[in-house]
């Protein structure tokens, strides 16, 4: 029987979000209904509300979530009712060329739940990133659920569903930060701070945090940055070169998504270093570089998609490390809030003094 739950809906472009009654159908083949326990407020939710992703209003927001599987549809074998799971954006096929080569984040045939959740009047909802987790329950593809240790706090587990995984993965999976490396992280919001945590985990000797906001640099230091550079007042390329005897960093992680910061990343790396772009640019952004500078430098220019993570490998591992006290994912949770507080949380996110507000149910 379809169920009625409360959920946070963005009704139209730039309109305030509202808590509405959402109808969640029974799970069909390959689907699961998850009782959401926690869901972080991310910039992408705000972008949906602003119409910056697409125009498929109304949206059911929320996509950084953990919860307990309530029911599964026919043919679901990987998860069962009662499992504690972290949700990810897309179930992958497991059969295409990308999946077979161990790169499921480039899967050619990803999917979400086939059925739609609706409003009471039958209007179909678009679930943010195929999840829609600012709701007491949500319908997803079973393949979007990854089972993890149920003893961790749901607010912490849910973080791995998006920004924190993207940042840690950018350092560990994409950048392949190694023991003794010098890493520079440009842009120290949630994603950049997670890249700092990932770099430390990977054994980096020096982690240089770059931001235009001193408060962000302070937080980055508490996450493990060994040096900080305010790029409003100091040229970060020169500062990074100075700190590395003129060579540049082994890995530079760009976590802003702008041409000028990408340019800094390009020139702040060692000649054979790696640049990882994890910040997401907008379609109109362009960057001109002398081709000779690209030629004259070896190394690698990479982008990181969802931290190039393998959810089944990385989610349980990072939760294990957190539970052991070897990384502190709790430091990313600034506050816990209710479903009715999402609009205010967007405003605080804008102010820049929140790493993550997490809706807890
Ligand atoms: N130079 C250095 N830092 C900058 C600059 C700049 N020119 N402009 C902004 N910043 C800093 C901000 O001060 C902030 O600390 O970048 C940080 C961005 O952080 P958030 O806005 O909190 O964004 P976050 O969630 O970390 O995501 C960063 O990664 O996944 C993508 O879409 C996401 O593009 C975004 C990026
Ligand atoms: Zn595939
Ligand atoms: Zn997100």
């Amino acid at each position: 029987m379809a169920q009625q739950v409360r959920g946070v809906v963005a009704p139209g472009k730039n309109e305030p979000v509202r808590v509405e009654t959402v109808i969640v159908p029974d799970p069909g083949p390959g689907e699961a209904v998850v009782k959401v326990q926690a869901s972080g407020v991310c910039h992408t939710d705000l972008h949906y509300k602003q119409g910056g992703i697409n125009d498929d209003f109304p949206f059911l927001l929320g996509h950084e979530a953990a919860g307990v599987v309530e029911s599964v549809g026919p043919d679901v074998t990987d998860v069962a009712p009662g499992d504690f799971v972290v949700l990810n954006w897309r179930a992958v096929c497991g059969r295409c060329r990308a999946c077979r080569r161990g790169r499921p984040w480039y899967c050619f045939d990803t999917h979400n739940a086939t059925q739609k959740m609706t409003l009471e009047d039958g209007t179909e909802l678009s679930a943010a990133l195929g999840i829609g987790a600012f709701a007491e329950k949500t319908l997803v593809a079973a393949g979007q659920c990854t089972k993890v240790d149920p003893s961790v706090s749901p607010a912490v587990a849910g973080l791995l569903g998006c920004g924190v995984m993207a940042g840690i993965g950018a350092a560990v999976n994409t950048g392949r930060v190694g023991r003794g490396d010098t890493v520079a992280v440009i842009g120290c919001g949630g994603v950049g701070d997670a890249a700092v945590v990932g770099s430390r985990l990977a054994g980096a000797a020096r982690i240089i945090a770059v931001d235009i906001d001193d408060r962000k640099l302070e937080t980055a230091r508490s996450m493990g940055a060994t040096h900080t550079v305010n790029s409003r007042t100091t040229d970060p390329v020169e500062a990074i070169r100075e700190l590395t005897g003129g060579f540049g960093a082994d890995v530079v992680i760009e976590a802003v998504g702008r041409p000028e910061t990408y340019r800094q990343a390009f020139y702040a790396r060692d000649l054979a270093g790696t640049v990882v772009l994890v910040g997401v640019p907008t379609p109109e952004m362009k960057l001109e570089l002398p081709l000779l500078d690209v030629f004259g430098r070896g190394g690698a220019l990479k982008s990181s998609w969802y931290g190039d993570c393998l959810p089944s490998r990385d989610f349980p591992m990072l939760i294990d490390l957190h539970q052991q006290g070897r990384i502190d994912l709790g430091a990313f949770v600034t506050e816990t809030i209710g479903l009715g507080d999402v609009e205010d949380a967007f405003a605080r996110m804008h102010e820049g003094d929140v790493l993550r507000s997490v809706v807890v149910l």
Side-chain angles (χ1 to χ4, degrees), residues 118-155:
T118 63
L119 293 173
E120 273 180 299
D121 66 3
T123 308
E124 288 191 348
L125 289 163
S126 307
L129 286 167
I131 294 182
F134 292 154
E136 290 159 323
K137 295 177 186 178
T138 190
L139 175 78
V140 293
Q144 292 177 257
C145 302
T146 303
K147 244 176 105 162
V148 298
D149 177 358
S151 64
V152 70
S153 111

Side-chain angles (χ1 to χ4, degrees), residues 42-44 47 162-163 166 186-193 210-213 216 231-232 254-258 260-261 264 278-281 349 352 354-356:
C42 171
H43 284 84
T44 306
H47 290 162
C162 187
I186 301 181
C188 297
V191 174
D193 281 342
V210 179
D211 204 291
I212 49 176
D213 181 339
K216 300 289 184 166
S231 56
R232 240 191 232 299
E254 202 279 12
V256 186
R258 300 191 56 83
E260 63 270 26
T261 41
Q264 291 163 359
V278 62
V280 183
M349 190 165 77
V354 171
L355 267 179
R356 271 296 181 268

Side-chain angles (χ1 to χ4, degrees), residues 91-100 103-110:
V92 298
C93 77
R95 291 180 300 274
C96 72
R97 186 166 183 271
C99 283
R100 285 191 194 283
R103 296 174 180 167
W105 50 93
Y106 292 129
C107 174
F108 301 163
D109 192 15
T110 58

